[in-house]
Amino acid sequence: MQQQAALAYQQTAKKTASPRELEASLLSKSAAQLQRIRDDWDNKKPELDGALTYNRKLWTVFMTSVTSDENPLPTLIKQNVANLGIFVMNHTMSTLANPEARKLDVLININKELAAGLRTQQNQDEAPKGTHPAL
């Protein structure tokens, strides 16, 4: 029952959230999963593979989307996101091959920073002209 409610909420959020907010939420979710594992490494290490798989799938979608011809972003931004995605993929594989709690820090930070940047951009896009969004 609770799972159905969560699924219904997620479906509604997907329909009402902007693409940037949805991306920021997914990145934050992945960062939180990785952070929980990092914080309780001895007990949560068995969850590492699933959390890294989720993060890898998320970044695969980002990289595919950002590199598509239909994506309106400037070429430099597209290249930067793609390069960051390649780094995330390589670091993920390294972490899977030789798991260490400290290796999660970089993935957590990248996801948090990108989510924060997406939210900041969203706020700036929604702010009335001549005003500045709250920091």
Side-chain angles (χ1 to χ4, degrees), residues 89-116:
M89 296 297 185
N90 289 336
H91 190 77
T92 297
M93 298 311 291
S94 169
T95 303
L96 284 168
N98 185 17
E100 295 178 37
R102 67 178 177 79
K103 287 184 174 183
L104 298 180
D105 293 342
V106 69
L107 297 174
I108 293 165
N109 290 334
I110 287 171
N111 285 3
K112 284 182 176 179
E113 292 295 323
L114 189 53

Side-chain angles (χ1 to χ4, degrees), residues 6 8 11 13 40 49 57 71 74 126 130-131:
Q11 293 299 324
D40 191 11
D49 189 46
K57 287 178 181 179
N71 191 305
E126 292 174 354
T131 64

Side-chain angles (χ1 to χ4, degrees), residues 17-88:
S18 73
R20 283 190 182 139
E21 183 56 38
L22 180 59
E23 291 167 347
S25 293
L26 293 171
L27 285 163
S28 294
K29 176 183 175 182
S30 184
Q33 286 177 330
L34 294 169
Q35 188 69 59
R36 278 192 298 277
I37 294 166
R38 171 72 165 107
D39 291 345
D40 191 11
W41 181 253
D42 292 333
N43 295 315
K44 301 281 186 182
K45 187 177 174 187
E47 299 174 23
L48 180 63
D49 189 46
L52 289 174
T53 298
Y54 177 84
N55 194 60
R56 188 175 65 238
K57 287 178 181 179
L58 181 60
W59 275 92
T60 298
V61 171
F62 286 157
M63 290 171 38
T64 302
S65 174
V66 80
T67 57
S68 80
D69 291 335
E70 294 81 34
N71 191 305
L73 289 172
T75 301
L76 184 59
I77 292 174
K78 292 166 84 169
Q79 289 172 341
N80 287 340
V81 173
N83 288 337
L84 187 58
I86 291 168
F87 172 82
V88 167

